[in-house]
Amino acid sequence: MNKEKRTEIFKRFQQANPEPKTELEYSTPFELLAAVLLSAQATDKGVNIATRKLFAIANTPASIAALGVAGVEGYIKTIGLFRSKAKHLVQTAEILRDQHNGEVPADREALESLPGVGRKTANVVLNTAFGQPTMAVDTHIFRISNRTGIAPGKDVLEVEKRLLKLVPQEFMLNAHHWLILHGRYVCKARKPECTRCSIVDLCEFKKKTT
């Protein structure tokens, strides 16, 4: 895919949704970190249902740590893998409380050192909470990047690096949100809805649906 076509794709995304937001509900960097940590193999809707109850009781590192693993489990048991997620969230809260003055660090290395926080989670927090132009490649972005030809790659890290290199800088801050939303609601995994796609004429996917 050439630069002109890629630029036009993101122009259209921007025109349709000038200020895209994550669908996870949060009000602080820690709430976002907690929600993203809980979101693996779960829907944003399911996470939001759980965190509304959890955050009403505990929404800081100190209060989550005080709640403890069993306490957190009681609020998130509707989410898949809730036991391991509760353990990681409490461990993360304790580290933030004890080593970072209760604040979420705006630093990749520090974030990735937290229990249950991998590269994708760190990228989401850096981008969404701190406005850094990172690219959190989930299954939607991996699929879209390969299917459309925007930034094909054999694994998530390769796709991330190619997107960071190829997405025009003026669109980088919001690109990750646009791609996720496009993959979630239009360019779906099983059957992309090409008939209502805003970039269908630019996409290089050969087996378009009609």
Side-chain angles (χ1 to χ4, degrees):
M1 181 177 286
N2 61 43
K3 181 180 178 181
E4 290 72 24
K5 190 181 287 188
R6 196 178 289 109
T7 299
E8 179 61 24
I9 284 173
F10 285 99
K11 277 185 179 178
R12 292 185 190 180
F13 285 154
Q14 185 181 58
Q15 288 167 357
N17 188 1
E19 296 184 5
K21 306 293 183 186
T22 178
E23 293 185 316
L24 291 170
E25 297 173 0
Y26 74 98
S27 59
T28 66
F30 178 71
E31 286 188 359
L32 176 65
L33 174 61
V36 179
L37 195 154
L38 297 175
S39 70
Q41 299 181 44
T43 65
D44 287 359
K45 181 179 179 181
V47 172
N48 289 338
I49 290 171
T51 56
R52 283 172 204 154
K53 298 174 183 177
L54 174 63
F55 293 161
I57 302 300
N59 70 337
T60 65
S63 58
I64 289 288
L67 197 57
V69 175
V72 170
E73 284 182 356
Y75 291 97
I76 68 167
K77 58 187 176 183
T78 54
I79 301 174
L81 308 175
F82 73 92
R83 287 190 174 88
S84 63
K85 289 178 180 179
K87 180 181 177 182
H88 288 153
L89 179 55
V90 170
Q91 289 174 336
T92 286
E94 290 171 345
I95 292 171
L96 294 177
R97 179 197 63 193
D98 298 339
Q99 300 179 24
H100 297 279
N101 297 315
E103 300 293 330
V104 176
D107 174 80
R108 175 186 301 284
E109 186 176 352
L111 285 169
E112 290 188 22
S113 72
L114 298 171
V117 177
R119 186 177 183 88
K120 185 185 79 172
T121 298
N123 279 335
V124 172
V125 173
L126 291 172
N127 176 264
T128 305
F130 299 114
Q132 296 186 22
T134 59
M135 187 63 64
V137 179
D138 67 350
T139 55
H140 294 300
I141 293 183
F142 183 76
R143 180 177 70 255
I144 297 295
S145 298
N146 279 285
R147 182 184 277 168
T148 62
I150 290 174
K154 65 181 183 296
D155 56 42
V156 293
L157 184 57
E158 183 177 356
V159 168
E160 178 188 329
K161 290 179 177 178
R162 296 204 72 196
L163 284 168
L164 290 172
K165 179 181 178 181
L166 296 172
V167 173
Q169 278 303 118
E170 64 264 35
F171 304 116
M172 185 62 72
L173 183 62
N174 292 319
H176 134 262
H177 290 304
W178 286 321
L179 291 171
I180 286 176
L181 293 171
H182 192 66
R184 186 172 290 167
Y185 297 112
V186 181
C187 198
K188 299 175 182 178
R190 292 187 179 181
K191 188 178 181 181
E193 298 183 10
C194 300
T195 55
R196 66 182 194 89
C197 176
S198 62
I199 61 166
V200 66
D201 56 317
L202 303 168
C203 169
E204 297 183 353
F205 182 51
K206 290 181 171 58
K207 299 179 181 179
K208 292 185 174 69
T209 58
T210 59

PDB file of all heavy atoms in Angstrom, residues 58-97:
ATOM      1  N   ALA A  58     -13.289   0.615  45.502  1.00  0.00           N
ATOM      2  CA  ALA A  58     -11.828   0.775  45.525  1.00  0.00           C
ATOM      3  C   ALA A  58     -11.340   1.143  44.133  1.00  0.00           C
ATOM      4  O   ALA A  58     -11.540   0.370  43.184  1.00  0.00           O
ATOM      5  CB  ALA A  58     -11.167  -0.524  45.991  1.00  0.00           C
ATOM      6  N   ASN A  59     -10.701   2.294  43.999  1.00  0.00           N
ATOM      7  CA  ASN A  59     -10.228   2.724  42.682  1.00  0.00           C
ATOM      8  C   ASN A  59      -8.852   3.381  42.725  1.00  0.00           C
ATOM      9  O   ASN A  59      -8.470   4.124  41.825  1.00  0.00           O
ATOM     10  CB  ASN A  59     -11.234   3.678  42.039  1.00  0.00           C
ATOM     11  CG  ASN A  59     -11.289   5.028  42.733  1.00  0.00           C
ATOM     12  OD1 ASN A  59     -10.927   5.152  43.902  1.00  0.00           O
ATOM     13  ND2 ASN A  59     -11.744   6.048  42.023  1.00  0.00           N
ATOM     14  N   THR A  60      -8.092   3.088  43.789  1.00  0.00           N
ATOM     15  CA  THR A  60      -6.711   3.565  43.908  1.00  0.00           C
ATOM     16  C   THR A  60      -5.824   2.372  44.253  1.00  0.00           C
ATOM     17  O   THR A  60      -6.317   1.350  44.743  1.00  0.00           O
ATOM     18  CB  THR A  60      -6.571   4.617  45.017  1.00  0.00           C
ATOM     19  OG1 THR A  60      -6.857   3.994  46.285  1.00  0.00           O
ATOM     20  CG2 THR A  60      -7.512   5.795  44.796  1.00  0.00           C
ATOM     21  N   PRO A  61      -4.524   2.480  44.011  1.00  0.00           N
ATOM     22  CA  PRO A  61      -3.644   1.375  44.394  1.00  0.00           C
ATOM     23  C   PRO A  61      -3.779   0.995  45.864  1.00  0.00           C
ATOM     24  O   PRO A  61      -3.848  -0.191  46.203  1.00  0.00           O
ATOM     25  CB  PRO A  61      -2.249   1.927  44.077  1.00  0.00           C
ATOM     26  CG  PRO A  61      -2.479   2.855  42.936  1.00  0.00           C
ATOM     27  CD  PRO A  61      -3.789   3.507  43.238  1.00  0.00           C
ATOM     28  N   ALA A  62      -3.856   1.979  46.740  1.00  0.00           N
ATOM     29  CA  ALA A  62      -3.948   1.681  48.170  1.00  0.00           C
ATOM     30  C   ALA A  62      -5.246   0.957  48.517  1.00  0.00           C
ATOM     31  O   ALA A  62      -5.241  -0.017  49.288  1.00  0.00           O
ATOM     32  CB  ALA A  62      -3.843   2.979  48.975  1.00  0.00           C
ATOM     33  N   SER A  63      -6.357   1.397  47.941  1.00  0.00           N
ATOM     34  CA  SER A  63      -7.644   0.775  48.278  1.00  0.00           C
ATOM     35  C   SER A  63      -7.795  -0.602  47.644  1.00  0.00           C
ATOM     36  O   SER A  63      -8.393  -1.503  48.246  1.00  0.00           O
ATOM     37  CB  SER A  63      -8.804   1.686  47.876  1.00  0.00           C
ATOM     38  OG  SER A  63      -8.783   1.985  46.495  1.00  0.00           O
ATOM     39  N   ILE A  64      -7.239  -0.801  46.444  1.00  0.00           N
ATOM     40  CA  ILE A  64      -7.266  -2.133  45.823  1.00  0.00           C
ATOM     41  C   ILE A  64      -6.388  -3.095  46.623  1.00  0.00           C
ATOM     42  O   ILE A  64      -6.768  -4.244  46.883  1.00  0.00           O
ATOM     43  CB  ILE A  64      -6.799  -2.080  44.355  1.00  0.00           C
ATOM     44  CG1 ILE A  64      -7.848  -1.382  43.482  1.00  0.00           C
ATOM     45  CG2 ILE A  64      -6.497  -3.478  43.819  1.00  0.00           C
ATOM     46  CD1 ILE A  64      -9.110  -2.176  43.239  1.00  0.00           C
ATOM     47  N   ALA A  65      -5.223  -2.625  47.039  1.00  0.00           N
ATOM     48  CA  ALA A  65      -4.331  -3.460  47.846  1.00  0.00           C
ATOM     49  C   ALA A  65      -5.001  -3.830  49.167  1.00  0.00           C
ATOM     50  O   ALA A  65      -4.902  -4.970  49.637  1.00  0.00           O
ATOM     51  CB  ALA A  65      -3.015  -2.729  48.101  1.00  0.00           C
ATOM     52  N   ALA A  66      -5.694  -2.882  49.768  1.00  0.00           N
ATOM     53  CA  ALA A  66      -6.382  -3.140  51.033  1.00  0.00           C
ATOM     54  C   ALA A  66      -7.538  -4.124  50.856  1.00  0.00           C
ATOM     55  O   ALA A  66      -7.828  -4.919  51.754  1.00  0.00           O
ATOM     56  CB  ALA A  66      -6.902  -1.827  51.615  1.00  0.00           C
ATOM     57  N   LEU A  67      -8.170  -4.081  49.708  1.00  0.00           N
ATOM     58  CA  LEU A  67      -9.287  -4.988  49.427  1.00  0.00           C
ATOM     59  C   LEU A  67      -8.805  -6.430  49.367  1.00  0.00           C
ATOM     60  O   LEU A  67      -9.507  -7.355  49.788  1.00  0.00           O
ATOM     61  CB  LEU A  67      -9.956  -4.578  48.112  1.00  0.00           C
ATOM     62  CG  LEU A  67     -11.352  -5.108  47.804  1.00  0.00           C
ATOM     63  CD1 LEU A  67     -12.341  -4.729  48.907  1.00  0.00           C
ATOM     64  CD2 LEU A  67     -11.825  -4.552  46.455  1.00  0.00           C
ATOM     65  N   GLY A  68      -7.593  -6.634  48.817  1.00  0.00           N
ATOM     66  CA  GLY A  68      -7.016  -7.972  48.755  1.00  0.00           C
ATOM     67  C   GLY A  68      -7.556  -8.799  47.602  1.00  0.00           C
ATOM     68  O   GLY A  68      -8.556  -8.440  46.977  1.00  0.00           O
ATOM     69  N   VAL A  69      -6.896  -9.920  47.353  1.00  0.00           N
ATOM     70  CA  VAL A  69      -7.261 -10.758  46.207  1.00  0.00           C
ATOM     71  C   VAL A  69      -8.688 -11.269  46.325  1.00  0.00           C
ATOM     72  O   VAL A  69      -9.482 -11.185  45.381  1.00  0.00           O
ATOM     73  CB  VAL A  69      -6.277 -11.939  46.058  1.00  0.00           C
ATOM     74  CG1 VAL A  69      -6.742 -12.878  44.940  1.00  0.00           C
ATOM     75  CG2 VAL A  69      -4.869 -11.433  45.767  1.00  0.00           C
ATOM     76  N   ALA A  70      -9.048 -11.813  47.487  1.00  0.00           N
ATOM     77  CA  ALA A  70     -10.402 -12.355  47.672  1.00  0.00           C
ATOM     78  C   ALA A  70     -11.451 -11.268  47.505  1.00  0.00           C
ATOM     79  O   ALA A  70     -12.519 -11.501  46.920  1.00  0.00           O
ATOM     80  CB  ALA A  70     -10.524 -13.005  49.043  1.00  0.00           C
ATOM     81  N   GLY A  71     -11.149 -10.080  48.000  1.00  0.00           N
ATOM     82  CA  GLY A  71     -12.090  -8.972  47.878  1.00  0.00           C
ATOM     83  C   GLY A  71     -12.293  -8.550  46.432  1.00  0.00           C
ATOM     84  O   GLY A  71     -13.427  -8.326  46.002  1.00  0.00           O
ATOM     85  N   VAL A  72     -11.195  -8.461  45.684  1.00  0.00           N
ATOM     86  CA  VAL A  72     -11.288  -8.090  44.266  1.00  0.00           C
ATOM     87  C   VAL A  72     -12.032  -9.158  43.488  1.00  0.00           C
ATOM     88  O   VAL A  72     -12.872  -8.859  42.627  1.00  0.00           O
ATOM     89  CB  VAL A  72      -9.888  -7.848  43.668  1.00  0.00           C
ATOM     90  CG1 VAL A  72      -9.963  -7.696  42.144  1.00  0.00           C
ATOM     91  CG2 VAL A  72      -9.237  -6.614  44.281  1.00  0.00           C
ATOM     92  N   GLU A  73     -11.758 -10.421  43.786  1.00  0.00           N
ATOM     93  CA  GLU A  73     -12.428 -11.519  43.089  1.00  0.00           C
ATOM     94  C   GLU A  73     -13.945 -11.402  43.168  1.00  0.00           C
ATOM     95  O   GLU A  73     -14.647 -11.702  42.198  1.00  0.00           O
ATOM     96  CB  GLU A  73     -12.000 -12.868  43.677  1.00  0.00           C
ATOM     97  CG  GLU A  73     -10.629 -13.320  43.262  1.00  0.00           C
ATOM     98  CD  GLU A  73     -10.277 -14.689  43.824  1.00  0.00           C
ATOM     99  OE1 GLU A  73     -11.090 -15.244  44.599  1.00  0.00           O
ATOM    100  OE2 GLU A  73      -9.190 -15.206  43.492  1.00  0.00           O
ATOM    101  N   GLY A  74     -14.433 -10.963  44.287  1.00  0.00           N
ATOM    102  CA  GLY A  74     -15.874 -10.853  44.468  1.00  0.00           C
ATOM    103  C   GLY A  74     -16.538  -9.889  43.494  1.00  0.00           C
ATOM    104  O   GLY A  74     -17.707 -10.065  43.137  1.00  0.00           O
ATOM    105  N   TYR A  75     -15.776  -8.904  43.024  1.00  0.00           N
ATOM    106  CA  TYR A  75     -16.320  -7.912  42.103  1.00  0.00           C
ATOM    107  C   TYR A  75     -16.098  -8.282  40.634  1.00  0.00           C
ATOM    108  O   TYR A  75     -16.825  -7.781  39.763  1.00  0.00           O
ATOM    109  CB  TYR A  75     -15.696  -6.535  42.367  1.00  0.00           C
ATOM    110  CG  TYR A  75     -16.125  -5.933  43.680  1.00  0.00           C
ATOM    111  CD1 TYR A  75     -15.335  -6.054  44.810  1.00  0.00           C
ATOM    112  CD2 TYR A  75     -17.345  -5.255  43.784  1.00  0.00           C
ATOM    113  CE1 TYR A  75     -15.735  -5.513  46.028  1.00  0.00           C
ATOM    114  CE2 TYR A  75     -17.755  -4.708  44.995  1.00  0.00           C
ATOM    115  CZ  TYR A  75     -16.949  -4.840  46.109  1.00  0.00           C
ATOM    116  OH  TYR A  75     -17.360  -4.318  47.306  1.00  0.00           O
ATOM    117  N   ILE A  76     -15.105  -9.123  40.345  1.00  0.00           N
ATOM    118  CA  ILE A  76     -14.761  -9.377  38.939  1.00  0.00           C
ATOM    119  C   ILE A  76     -14.979 -10.828  38.526  1.00  0.00           C
ATOM    120  O   ILE A  76     -14.512 -11.251  37.475  1.00  0.00           O
ATOM    121  CB  ILE A  76     -13.297  -8.974  38.650  1.00  0.00           C
ATOM    122  CG1 ILE A  76     -12.308  -9.896  39.382  1.00  0.00           C
ATOM    123  CG2 ILE A  76     -13.051  -7.519  39.020  1.00  0.00           C
ATOM    124  CD1 ILE A  76     -10.876  -9.750  38.900  1.00  0.00           C
ATOM    125  N   LYS A  77     -15.728 -11.593  39.317  1.00  0.00           N
ATOM    126  CA  LYS A  77     -15.879 -13.019  39.028  1.00  0.00           C
ATOM    127  C   LYS A  77     -16.674 -13.300  37.756  1.00  0.00           C
ATOM    128  O   LYS A  77     -16.681 -14.429  37.263  1.00  0.00           O
ATOM    129  CB  LYS A  77     -16.502 -13.749  40.213  1.00  0.00           C
ATOM    130  CG  LYS A  77     -17.864 -13.226  40.645  1.00  0.00           C
ATOM    131  CD  LYS A  77     -18.304 -13.909  41.932  1.00  0.00           C
ATOM    132  CE  LYS A  77     -19.621 -13.328  42.442  1.00  0.00           C
ATOM    133  NZ  LYS A  77     -20.016 -13.948  43.729  1.00  0.00           N
ATOM    134  N   THR A  78     -17.328 -12.278  37.203  1.00  0.00           N
ATOM    135  CA  THR A  78     -18.044 -12.453  35.936  1.00  0.00           C
ATOM    136  C   THR A  78     -17.098 -12.368  34.735  1.00  0.00           C
ATOM    137  O   THR A  78     -17.504 -12.650  33.604  1.00  0.00           O
ATOM    138  CB  THR A  78     -19.131 -11.375  35.781  1.00  0.00           C
ATOM    139  OG1 THR A  78     -18.525 -10.085  35.931  1.00  0.00           O
ATOM    140  CG2 THR A  78     -20.226 -11.561  36.817  1.00  0.00           C
ATOM    141  N   ILE A  79     -15.845 -11.992  34.969  1.00  0.00           N
ATOM    142  CA  ILE A  79     -14.851 -11.857  33.899  1.00  0.00           C
ATOM    143  C   ILE A  79     -14.015 -13.126  33.816  1.00  0.00           C
ATOM    144  O   ILE A  79     -13.654 -13.718  34.839  1.00  0.00           O
ATOM    145  CB  ILE A  79     -13.921 -10.651  34.174  1.00  0.00           C
ATOM    146  CG1 ILE A  79     -14.728  -9.352  34.281  1.00  0.00           C
ATOM    147  CG2 ILE A  79     -12.871 -10.507  33.088  1.00  0.00           C
ATOM    148  CD1 ILE A  79     -13.888  -8.166  34.689  1.00  0.00           C
ATOM    149  N   GLY A  80     -13.686 -13.548  32.620  1.00  0.00           N
ATOM    150  CA  GLY A  80     -12.844 -14.727  32.435  1.00  0.00           C
ATOM    151  C   GLY A  80     -11.490 -14.564  33.095  1.00  0.00           C
ATOM    152  O   GLY A  80     -10.943 -13.458  33.159  1.00  0.00           O
ATOM    153  N   LEU A  81     -10.950 -15.659  33.601  1.00  0.00           N
ATOM    154  CA  LEU A  81      -9.635 -15.688  34.260  1.00  0.00           C
ATOM    155  C   LEU A  81      -9.591 -14.746  35.472  1.00  0.00           C
ATOM    156  O   LEU A  81      -8.558 -14.166  35.792  1.00  0.00           O
ATOM    157  CB  LEU A  81      -8.523 -15.311  33.268  1.00  0.00           C
ATOM    158  CG  LEU A  81      -8.485 -16.093  31.944  1.00  0.00           C
ATOM    159  CD1 LEU A  81      -7.425 -15.526  31.016  1.00  0.00           C
ATOM    160  CD2 LEU A  81      -8.201 -17.570  32.205  1.00  0.00           C
ATOM    161  N   PHE A  82     -10.726 -14.606  36.165  1.00  0.00           N
ATOM    162  CA  PHE A  82     -10.821 -13.591  37.217  1.00  0.00           C
ATOM    163  C   PHE A  82      -9.862 -13.835  38.374  1.00  0.00           C
ATOM    164  O   PHE A  82      -9.391 -12.888  39.007  1.00  0.00           O
ATOM    165  CB  PHE A  82     -12.267 -13.459  37.716  1.00  0.00           C
ATOM    166  CG  PHE A  82     -12.758 -14.588  38.578  1.00  0.00           C
ATOM    167  CD1 PHE A  82     -12.641 -14.533  39.959  1.00  0.00           C
ATOM    168  CD2 PHE A  82     -13.337 -15.716  38.006  1.00  0.00           C
ATOM    169  CE1 PHE A  82     -13.107 -15.567  40.763  1.00  0.00           C
ATOM    170  CE2 PHE A  82     -13.796 -16.752  38.796  1.00  0.00           C
ATOM    171  CZ  PHE A  82     -13.681 -16.690  40.182  1.00  0.00           C
ATOM    172  N   ARG A  83      -9.550 -15.094  38.673  1.00  0.00           N
ATOM    173  CA  ARG A  83      -8.652 -15.359  39.816  1.00  0.00           C
ATOM    174  C   ARG A  83      -7.243 -14.834  39.555  1.00  0.00           C
ATOM    175  O   ARG A  83      -6.649 -14.163  40.408  1.00  0.00           O
ATOM    176  CB  ARG A  83      -8.638 -16.855  40.137  1.00  0.00           C
ATOM    177  CG  ARG A  83      -9.915 -17.344  40.794  1.00  0.00           C
ATOM    178  CD  ARG A  83      -9.782 -18.767  41.329  1.00  0.00           C
ATOM    179  NE  ARG A  83     -10.974 -19.161  42.086  1.00  0.00           N
ATOM    180  CZ  ARG A  83     -12.049 -19.708  41.548  1.00  0.00           C
ATOM    181  NH1 ARG A  83     -12.087 -19.939  40.232  1.00  0.00           N
ATOM    182  NH2 ARG A  83     -13.099 -20.019  42.290  1.00  0.00           N
ATOM    183  N   SER A  84      -6.690 -15.163  38.400  1.00  0.00           N
ATOM    184  CA  SER A  84      -5.335 -14.693  38.089  1.00  0.00           C
ATOM    185  C   SER A  84      -5.327 -13.182  37.893  1.00  0.00           C
ATOM    186  O   SER A  84      -4.359 -12.498  38.283  1.00  0.00           O
ATOM    187  CB  SER A  84      -4.789 -15.397  36.843  1.00  0.00           C
ATOM    188  OG  SER A  84      -5.565 -15.101  35.706  1.00  0.00           O
ATOM    189  N   LYS A  85      -6.387 -12.627  37.332  1.00  0.00           N
ATOM    190  CA  LYS A  85      -6.457 -11.184  37.129  1.00  0.00           C
ATOM    191  C   LYS A  85      -6.541 -10.450  38.467  1.00  0.00           C
ATOM    192  O   LYS A  85      -5.916  -9.395  38.639  1.00  0.00           O
ATOM    193  CB  LYS A  85      -7.652 -10.827  36.249  1.00  0.00           C
ATOM    194  CG  LYS A  85      -7.477 -11.251  34.788  1.00  0.00           C
ATOM    195  CD  LYS A  85      -8.704 -10.933  33.959  1.00  0.00           C
ATOM    196  CE  LYS A  85      -8.523 -11.346  32.516  1.00  0.00           C
ATOM    197  NZ  LYS A  85      -9.717 -11.078  31.687  1.00  0.00           N
ATOM    198  N   ALA A  86      -7.303 -10.999  39.401  1.00  0.00           N
ATOM    199  CA  ALA A  86      -7.395 -10.382  40.733  1.00  0.00           C
ATOM    200  C   ALA A  86      -6.028 -10.385  41.411  1.00  0.00           C
ATOM    201  O   ALA A  86      -5.616  -9.381  42.020  1.00  0.00           O
ATOM    202  CB  ALA A  86      -8.417 -11.126  41.585  1.00  0.00           C
ATOM    203  N   LYS A  87      -5.324 -11.488  41.299  1.00  0.00           N
ATOM    204  CA  LYS A  87      -3.993 -11.592  41.893  1.00  0.00           C
ATOM    205  C   LYS A  87      -3.039 -10.562  41.289  1.00  0.00           C
ATOM    206  O   LYS A  87      -2.325  -9.851  42.009  1.00  0.00           O
ATOM    207  CB  LYS A  87      -3.445 -13.008  41.685  1.00  0.00           C
ATOM    208  CG  LYS A  87      -2.060 -13.231  42.255  1.00  0.00           C
ATOM    209  CD  LYS A  87      -1.592 -14.661  41.976  1.00  0.00           C
ATOM    210  CE  LYS A  87      -0.172 -14.884  42.476  1.00  0.00           C
ATOM    211  NZ  LYS A  87       0.298 -16.271  42.161  1.00  0.00           N
ATOM    212  N   HIS A  88      -3.044 -10.474  39.954  1.00  0.00           N
ATOM    213  CA  HIS A  88      -2.156  -9.517  39.282  1.00  0.00           C
ATOM    214  C   HIS A  88      -2.525  -8.073  39.628  1.00  0.00           C
ATOM    215  O   HIS A  88      -1.644  -7.230  39.837  1.00  0.00           O
ATOM    216  CB  HIS A  88      -2.228  -9.713  37.761  1.00  0.00           C
ATOM    217  CG  HIS A  88      -1.554 -10.952  37.291  1.00  0.00           C
ATOM    218  ND1 HIS A  88      -1.917 -11.625  36.144  1.00  0.00           N
ATOM    219  CD2 HIS A  88      -0.528 -11.657  37.814  1.00  0.00           C
ATOM    220  CE1 HIS A  88      -1.155 -12.681  35.989  1.00  0.00           C
ATOM    221  NE2 HIS A  88      -0.301 -12.725  36.992  1.00  0.00           N
ATOM    222  N   LEU A  89      -3.828  -7.787  39.683  1.00  0.00           N
ATOM    223  CA  LEU A  89      -4.253  -6.420  39.982  1.00  0.00           C
ATOM    224  C   LEU A  89      -3.831  -6.013  41.388  1.00  0.00           C
ATOM    225  O   LEU A  89      -3.334  -4.893  41.589  1.00  0.00           O
ATOM    226  CB  LEU A  89      -5.777  -6.299  39.824  1.00  0.00           C
ATOM    227  CG  LEU A  89      -6.379  -4.919  40.122  1.00  0.00           C
ATOM    228  CD1 LEU A  89      -5.714  -3.840  39.278  1.00  0.00           C
ATOM    229  CD2 LEU A  89      -7.882  -4.930  39.886  1.00  0.00           C
ATOM    230  N   VAL A  90      -3.988  -6.887  42.350  1.00  0.00           N
ATOM    231  CA  VAL A  90      -3.600  -6.561  43.727  1.00  0.00           C
ATOM    232  C   VAL A  90      -2.075  -6.423  43.828  1.00  0.00           C
ATOM    233  O   VAL A  90      -1.573  -5.492  44.478  1.00  0.00           O
ATOM    234  CB  VAL A  90      -4.129  -7.623  44.712  1.00  0.00           C
ATOM    235  CG1 VAL A  90      -3.528  -7.410  46.103  1.00  0.00           C
ATOM    236  CG2 VAL A  90      -5.653  -7.559  44.780  1.00  0.00           C
ATOM    237  N   GLN A  91      -1.334  -7.318  43.189  1.00  0.00           N
ATOM    238  CA  GLN A  91       0.134  -7.209  43.202  1.00  0.00           C
ATOM    239  C   GLN A  91       0.583  -5.898  42.560  1.00  0.00           C
ATOM    240  O   GLN A  91       1.491  -5.222  43.063  1.00  0.00           O
ATOM    241  CB  GLN A  91       0.750  -8.399  42.465  1.00  0.00           C
ATOM    242  CG  GLN A  91       0.624  -9.717  43.199  1.00  0.00           C
ATOM    243  CD  GLN A  91       1.122 -10.894  42.369  1.00  0.00           C
ATOM    244  OE1 GLN A  91       1.154 -10.828  41.136  1.00  0.00           O
ATOM    245  NE2 GLN A  91       1.499 -11.970  43.034  1.00  0.00           N
ATOM    246  N   THR A  92      -0.045  -5.547  41.444  1.00  0.00           N
ATOM    247  CA  THR A  92       0.274  -4.289  40.771  1.00  0.00           C
ATOM    248  C   THR A  92      -0.039  -3.102  41.671  1.00  0.00           C
ATOM    249  O   THR A  92       0.755  -2.161  41.778  1.00  0.00           O
ATOM    250  CB  THR A  92      -0.508  -4.187  39.442  1.00  0.00           C
ATOM    251  OG1 THR A  92       0.073  -5.072  38.490  1.00  0.00           O
ATOM    252  CG2 THR A  92      -0.485  -2.774  38.877  1.00  0.00           C
ATOM    253  N   ALA A  93      -1.188  -3.144  42.321  1.00  0.00           N
ATOM    254  CA  ALA A  93      -1.576  -2.055  43.232  1.00  0.00           C
ATOM    255  C   ALA A  93      -0.567  -1.894  44.367  1.00  0.00           C
ATOM    256  O   ALA A  93      -0.207  -0.767  44.748  1.00  0.00           O
ATOM    257  CB  ALA A  93      -2.970  -2.329  43.794  1.00  0.00           C
ATOM    258  N   GLU A  94      -0.097  -3.001  44.899  1.00  0.00           N
ATOM    259  CA  GLU A  94       0.879  -2.951  45.997  1.00  0.00           C
ATOM    260  C   GLU A  94       2.193  -2.323  45.526  1.00  0.00           C
ATOM    261  O   GLU A  94       2.802  -1.515  46.251  1.00  0.00           O
ATOM    262  CB  GLU A  94       1.124  -4.368  46.528  1.00  0.00           C
ATOM    263  CG  GLU A  94      -0.068  -4.937  47.290  1.00  0.00           C
ATOM    264  CD  GLU A  94       0.083  -6.414  47.624  1.00  0.00           C
ATOM    265  OE1 GLU A  94       0.980  -7.087  47.034  1.00  0.00           O
ATOM    266  OE2 GLU A  94      -0.687  -6.909  48.463  1.00  0.00           O
ATOM    267  N   ILE A  95       2.630  -2.682  44.328  1.00  0.00           N
ATOM    268  CA  ILE A  95       3.872  -2.112  43.793  1.00  0.00           C
ATOM    269  C   ILE A  95       3.719  -0.614  43.553  1.00  0.00           C
ATOM    270  O   ILE A  95       4.611   0.175  43.891  1.00  0.00           O
ATOM    271  CB  ILE A  95       4.274  -2.836  42.488  1.00  0.00           C
ATOM    272  CG1 ILE A  95       4.686  -4.277  42.802  1.00  0.00           C
ATOM    273  CG2 ILE A  95       5.416  -2.097  41.789  1.00  0.00           C
ATOM    274  CD1 ILE A  95       4.884  -5.149  41.569  1.00  0.00           C
ATOM    275  N   LEU A  96       2.601  -0.214  42.978  1.00  0.00           N
ATOM    276  CA  LEU A  96       2.368   1.214  42.745  1.00  0.00           C
ATOM    277  C   LEU A  96       2.306   1.978  44.059  1.00  0.00           C
ATOM    278  O   LEU A  96       2.843   3.081  44.178  1.00  0.00           O
ATOM    279  CB  LEU A  96       1.078   1.417  41.943  1.00  0.00           C
ATOM    280  CG  LEU A  96       1.072   0.885  40.518  1.00  0.00           C
ATOM    281  CD1 LEU A  96      -0.293   1.101  39.870  1.00  0.00           C
ATOM    282  CD2 LEU A  96       2.158   1.548  39.665  1.00  0.00           C
ATOM    283  N   ARG A  97       1.658   1.391  45.035  1.00  0.00           N
ATOM    284  CA  ARG A  97       1.554   2.023  46.359  1.00  0.00           C
ATOM    285  C   ARG A  97       2.924   2.164  47.010  1.00  0.00           C
ATOM    286  O   ARG A  97       3.261   3.234  47.554  1.00  0.00           O
ATOM    287  CB  ARG A  97       0.636   1.185  47.250  1.00  0.00           C
ATOM    288  CG  ARG A  97       0.456   1.712  48.674  1.00  0.00           C
ATOM    289  CD  ARG A  97      -0.116   0.623  49.577  1.00  0.00           C
ATOM    290  NE  ARG A  97       0.796  -0.519  49.696  1.00  0.00           N
ATOM    291  CZ  ARG A  97       0.457  -1.698  50.213  1.00  0.00           C
ATOM    292  NH1 ARG A  97      -0.770  -1.905  50.680  1.00  0.00           N
ATOM    293  NH2 ARG A  97       1.350  -2.694  50.293  1.00  0.00           N
TER     294      ARG A  97
END
